[in-house]
C-alpha cells in the first residue's frame, strides 16, 4: 500500500513510514574500503550538548522552537549532557572504534549573541573536546552551523534572510579557524541548508518558523527560501575564501558544504512524472550545488522562479563557484515523485508550489522507521559522479530511526547500516569519489522533528536518569566489530 502526501508533509511523514526491503548486503570488511576512507559517527550541538544556560551560552533559534512547545515541552536544556560528559563520550567513541567524530559548534556558546567577543568558557569546552578526541586518535570533523543560528541575530535582523549574516557568519568562522584550526582539518560550513530552508522558510515547521501560512508569525514562502539560500551560499563562500587565504596554507585542512538528499524514483515513466523528478532534483540539489560547481542556479529554477530568484553578481559567482573542497551528504531514504498539475496548486505562492510535485512515500514497514532502499543512495552518488564531476563526498549522515522505547535490540538499524555501507562500497567500486561515512548518530539525542520520541543512536541515553547514562545498542556492537582492527568478514 502506498500513501500519497504533498511535498510540504514530506519531512514529517518520514517519521511514520518505512519498508523492510534490504539490498546491497554482501560480504565486506572495513579493509575493503580504499586507503584514507574514514568511518565515524555524528551529532550536533543542540541535539546532545545540554548546558543550554551555562557558562555564557545564549539561546539559538532551535532553543526558541523547543520553548514554544514544538516538542510538546521537551527541549535541549540538558539533552545528553555531552557538555559535561564529553570525556565519557569520547571513551564510548573509542570503544566503538570510531575513526572520526562529526559534531557542530554552538555559535551562541562560542560567541554569545552571534557577534562580538568570544566566550572563554565556550572556547575552553571545544578545546577540551577536540583535545580529548585527538588524544584517542579520533579525527574531529566540525560543522559550523547546524540549524542553531543565535536567536539574537534572528531578533536583530532576521538572520539568514538579511545580507548582514554573511559578515557575522564569516567573523564567527574566523574565530573557529583561529582557535581550533591547528587541530581541526575537516570543516563544514552549513548542515543541510536545503532542508533547513524548506522547513524554516517555506513550510515553517522548523526553526525559525518563517512562512506565508497562518501558523507562522512572519515570513514569505515565495521569496524568503530563495533569499536565505542565496545568503547561505554567500556566507559559505565568504568563510571558505577566508579559510583558503588565511588558514589553509598553514593548517592544510579542507572545507566543504553539506546537503540533504533523497533517492528519487518516478511514479511512472510518463513524460510528466520524469520531468517532475528532474524538477525536484533541481530544486533540492541543483539549487545549492550547481552554484558551488558551475557558478549559477539551474535553468529549471530560473525559468520557474523568475525574478524571485536572486542573481549572483560576477564576483559572487566566482567566489561561490569552486568553494567546496568536498560535499557532505545526509541521506536516509528514497521517495517516489509524481507530477502535480498546476491547477491543483493551492493559492499560496511558495517554494514547494514552485516545484509542483507530489511525493509518495512507502509506508509498509514498522512505524517510525525509514524504508531501507540503499539503491537510492547509490543513484545519488552516481549523480554526483556523472553530473558534478565526481567531487570528494562524505556521507555525513546515514542511519535508521526507531521509536525510542528503551530497547537495546535495534536489529533493523544493524540491517540498515549493513545495507547502506555495502552500497557505498559498491558505488566506490564503480568510481564514486566517496571518502568517508558517518553513522547518524552516536547518542539518542533531541531529534529534529520528533524531540525525544524517536532516536537514531548507537547508544541509548536514559533521560529519566540524572546522570544521563548511556547504554550500547546492538548497532554499537555491530559497528564496533566492523571497525575493529583485524576484523572478521561480516
Ligand atoms: C538531519 C539533521 O542534520 C539532523 O539534525 C537530524 O537529527 C537527522 N537528519 C535525522 O532526522
Amino acid at each position: 500500500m502506498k500513501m500519497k502526501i504533498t511535498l510540504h508533509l514530506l519531512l514529517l511523514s518520514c517519521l511514520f513510514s518505512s519498508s523492510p526491503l534490504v539490498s546491497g548486503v554482501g560480504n565486506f570488511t572495513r579493509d575493503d574500503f580504499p586507503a584514507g576512507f574514514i568511518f565515524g559517527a555524528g551529532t550536533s550541538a543542540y541535539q546532545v550538548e545540554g548546558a543550554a544556560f551555562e557558562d555564557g551560552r545564549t539561546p539559538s533559534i532551535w532553543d526558541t522552537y523547543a520553548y514554544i512547545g514544538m516538542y510538546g515541552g521537551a527541549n535541549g536544556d540538558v539533552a545528553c549532557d555531552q557538555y559535561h560528559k564529553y570525556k565519557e563520550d569520547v571513551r564510548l567513541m573509542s570503544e566503538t572504534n570510531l575513526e572520526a567524530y562529526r559534531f557542530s559548534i554552538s555559535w551562541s556558546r562560542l560567541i554569545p549573541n552571534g557577534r562580538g567577543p568570544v566566550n572563554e568558557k565556550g572556547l575552553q569546552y571545544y578545546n577540551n573536546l577536540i583535545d580529548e578526541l585527538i588524544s584517542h586518535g579520533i579525527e574531529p570533523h566540525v560543522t559550523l552551523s547546524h540549524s542553531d543560528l543565535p536567536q539574537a541575530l534572528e531578533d536583530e535582523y532576521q538572520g539568514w534572510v538579511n545580507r548582514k549574516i554573511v559578515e557575522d557568519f564569516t567573523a564567527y568562522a574566523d574565530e573557529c579557524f583561529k582557535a581550533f584550526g591547528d587541530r581541526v582539518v575537516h570543516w563544514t560550513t552549513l548542515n543541510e541548508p536545503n532542508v533547513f530552508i524548506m522547513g524554516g522558510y517555506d513550510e515553517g515547521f522548523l526553526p525559525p518558523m518563517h512562512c506565508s501560512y497562518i501558523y507562522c508569525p512572519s515570513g514569505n514562502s515565495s521569496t524568503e527560501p530563495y533569499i536565505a539560500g542565496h545568503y547561505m551560499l554567500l556566507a559559505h563562500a565568504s568563510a571558505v575564501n577566508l579559510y583558503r587565504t588565511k588558514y589553509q596554507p598553514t593548517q592544510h585542512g579542507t572545507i566543504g558544504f553539506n546537503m540533504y538528499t533523497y533517492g528519487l524514483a518516478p511514479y511512472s515513466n510518463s513524460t510528466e512524472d520524469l520531468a517532475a523528478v528532474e524538477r525536484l532534483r533541481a530544486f533540492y540539489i541543483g539549487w545549492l550545488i550547481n552554484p558551488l560547481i558551475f557558478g549559477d542556479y539551474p535553468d529549471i529554477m530560473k525559468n520557474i522562479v523568475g525574478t524571485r530568484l536572486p542573481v549572483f553578481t560576477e564576483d559572487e559567482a566566482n567566489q561561490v563557484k569552486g568553494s567546496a573542497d568536498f560535499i557532505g551528504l545526509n541521506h536516509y531514504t528514497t521517495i517516489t515523485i509524481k507530477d502535480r498539475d498546476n491547477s491543483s496548486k493551492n493559492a499560496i505562492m511558495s517554494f514547494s508550489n514552485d516545484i509542483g510535485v507530489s511525493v509518495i512515500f512507502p509506508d509498509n514497514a514498522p512505524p517510525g522507521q525509514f524504508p531501507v532502499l540503499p539503491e537510492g543512495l547509490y543513484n545519488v552518488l552516481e549523480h554526483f559522479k556523472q553530473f558534478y564531476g565526481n567531487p570528494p563526498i562524505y556521507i555525513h549522515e546515514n542511519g535508521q530511526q526507531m521509536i525510542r522505547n528503551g530497547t537495546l535490540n535495534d536489529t533493523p538499524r544493524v540491517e540498515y547500516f549493513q545495507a547502506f555501507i555495502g552500497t557505498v562500497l559498491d558505488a566506490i567500486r564503480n568510481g564514486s569519489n566517496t571518502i568517508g561515512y558517518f553513522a547518524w548518530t552516536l547518542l539518542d539525542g533531541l531529534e529534529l522533528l520528533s524531540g525525544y520520541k524517536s532516536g537514531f543512536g548507537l547508544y541509548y541515553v536514559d533521560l529519566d536518569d540524572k546522570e544521563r547514562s548511556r547504554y550500547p545498542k546492538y548497532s554499537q556492537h555491530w559497528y564496533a566489530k566492523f571497525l575493529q582492527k583485524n576484523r572478521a568478514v561480516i
Side-chain angles (χ1 to χ4, degrees):
M1 196 188 128
K2 299 205 165 191
M3 175 174 69
K4 266 193 192 180
I5 56 169
T6 55
L7 186 62
H8 70 277
L9 290 176
L10 171 61
L11 291 168
L12 286 171
S13 73
C14 294
L15 292 175
F16 304 105
S17 324
S18 172
S19 98
L21 170 65
V22 177
S23 65
V25 181
N27 285 344
F28 59 88
T29 75
R30 199 260 167 265
D31 291 335
D32 292 324
F33 287 79
F37 192 94
I38 196 92
F39 276 99
T43 61
S44 88
Y46 188 63
Q47 295 181 272
V48 298
E49 274 181 8
F53 304 105
E54 268 179 68
D55 293 343
R57 181 185 180 276
T58 65
S60 72
I61 55 173
W62 203 342
D63 296 63
T64 306
Y65 177 82
Y67 263 82
I68 62 169
M70 295 307 285
Y71 298 125
N75 55 56
D77 288 3
V78 181
C80 304
D81 202 19
Q82 186 166 89
Y83 188 75
H84 296 111
K85 294 174 74 88
Y86 70 92
K87 284 195 178 178
E88 177 182 339
D89 285 348
V90 174
R91 182 173 53 75
L92 298 182
M93 293 175 214
S94 185
E95 284 170 14
T96 311
N97 299 312
L98 297 189
E99 299 153 8
Y101 179 48
R102 174 177 180 255
F103 64 96
S104 72
I105 291 175
S106 158
W107 182 347
S108 61
R109 189 186 294 290
L110 194 72
I111 304 182
N113 299 322
R115 103 156 65 83
V118 169
N119 171 17
E120 286 305 318
K121 296 272 180 143
L123 197 68
Q124 191 59 52
Y125 170 66
Y126 292 110
N127 270 325
N128 290 344
L129 172 61
I130 291 164
D131 288 346
E132 194 69 13
L133 288 167
I134 287 173
S135 71
H136 283 76
I138 298 169
E139 275 182 11
H141 286 234
V142 176
T143 303
L144 294 173
S145 183
H146 192 120
S147 311
D148 57 353
L149 178 82
Q151 182 64 40
L153 300 183
E154 175 69 20
D155 292 343
E156 186 185 327
Y157 56 73
Q158 302 241 303
W160 289 109
V161 289
N162 191 312
R163 193 179 270 269
K164 288 183 185 165
I165 195 70
V166 176
E167 192 183 331
D168 285 340
F169 181 75
T170 309
Y172 159 59
D174 196 8
E175 294 298 347
C176 292
F177 302 147
K178 183 165 63 190
F180 313 123
D182 57 335
R183 288 149 295 152
V184 173
V185 291
H186 303 278
W187 296 99
T188 303
T189 52
L190 303 170
N191 180 65
E192 55 180 46
N194 51 349
V195 163
F196 178 69
I197 295 173
M198 278 188 52
Y201 297 87
D202 180 38
E203 300 295 342
F205 60 84
L206 289 178
M209 295 185 77
H210 289 211
C211 71
S212 298
Y213 301 92
I214 196 148
Y215 50 84
C216 286
S218 69
N220 183 333
S221 305
S222 73
T223 55
E224 283 197 351
Y226 304 108
I227 294 169
H230 200 69
Y231 293 150
M232 285 186 189
L233 284 169
L234 296 183
H236 158 85
S238 166
V240 171
N241 188 35
L242 176 83
Y243 184 69
R244 287 185 176 163
T245 50
K246 191 167 162 189
Y247 297 101
Q248 210 170 34
T250 51
Q251 296 181 349
H252 308 296
T254 58
I255 184 160
F257 196 76
N258 170 283
M259 287 286 274
Y260 191 95
T261 59
Y262 285 108
L264 301 178
Y267 179 73
S268 76
N269 282 332
S270 70
T271 317
E272 291 77 14
D273 288 343
L274 294 175
V277 169
E278 287 320 309
R279 231 166 32 244
L280 186 70
R281 206 193 314 275
F283 276 77
Y284 250 73
I285 303 300
W287 172 31
L288 302 177
I289 299 297
N290 278 27
L292 294 179
I293 307 283
F294 308 126
D296 202 2
Y297 293 117
D299 286 341
I300 298 185
M301 283 189 81
K302 287 188 188 173
N303 293 337
I304 294 174
V305 185
T307 54
R308 288 177 291 125
L309 189 65
V311 175
F312 293 108
T313 64
E314 207 180 315
D315 271 4
E316 288 169 351
N318 288 337
Q319 199 170 126
V320 170
K321 185 175 171 179
S323 65
D325 294 332
F326 63 83
I327 309 287
L329 302 180
N330 300 348
H331 185 95
Y332 292 90
T333 196
T334 292
I335 51 178
T336 300
I337 306 302
K338 190 175 187 320
D339 181 51
R340 182 150 51 92
D341 191 334
N342 279 356
S343 59
S344 71
K345 283 181 184 172
N346 65 34
I348 289 181
M349 195 186 260
S350 70
F351 183 90
S352 308
N353 285 337
D354 284 340
I355 309 176
V357 302
S358 297
V359 175
I360 299 158
F361 208 87
D363 66 349
N364 51 344
Q369 293 179 27
F370 286 113
V372 185
L373 302 167
E375 57 274 24
L377 176 58
Y378 185 90
N379 293 337
V380 168
L381 294 175
E382 277 296 296
H383 179 66
F384 273 84
K385 185 180 89 183
Q386 289 170 18
F387 190 69
Y388 291 120
N390 212 9
I393 300 279
Y394 285 106
I395 306 302
H396 265 162
E397 289 184 21
N398 179 242
Q400 179 59 286
Q401 173 168 250
M402 295 177 72
I403 301 286
R404 205 176 197 287
N405 59 9
T407 181
L408 301 178
N409 178 348
D410 61 346
T411 304
R413 182 168 294 116
V414 172
E415 290 170 353
Y416 182 103
F417 282 141
Q418 221 168 346
F420 276 86
I421 292 174
T423 294
V424 171
L425 183 59
D426 288 345
I428 291 170
R429 286 178 170 155
N430 199 34
S432 165
N433 193 9
T434 305
I435 57 175
Y437 175 95
F438 291 81
W440 186 264
T441 173
L442 181 70
L443 306 169
D444 278 342
L446 182 86
E447 245 315 302
L448 183 61
L449 292 168
S450 62
Y452 295 109
K453 292 205 172 92
S454 68
F456 290 74
L458 299 169
Y459 285 87
Y460 173 71
V461 178
D462 185 354
L463 299 172
D464 296 325
D465 171 2
K466 260 182 72 187
E467 297 302 314
R468 294 293 197 271
S469 300
R470 283 88 158 110
Y471 300 93
K473 301 182 196 172
Y474 285 14
S475 56
Q476 184 278 343
H477 297 295
W478 180 85
Y479 203 37
K481 194 156 186 226
F482 173 65
L483 296 179
Q484 206 172 16
K485 302 276 173 273
N486 307 317
R487 53 204 71 81
V489 170
I490 303 228

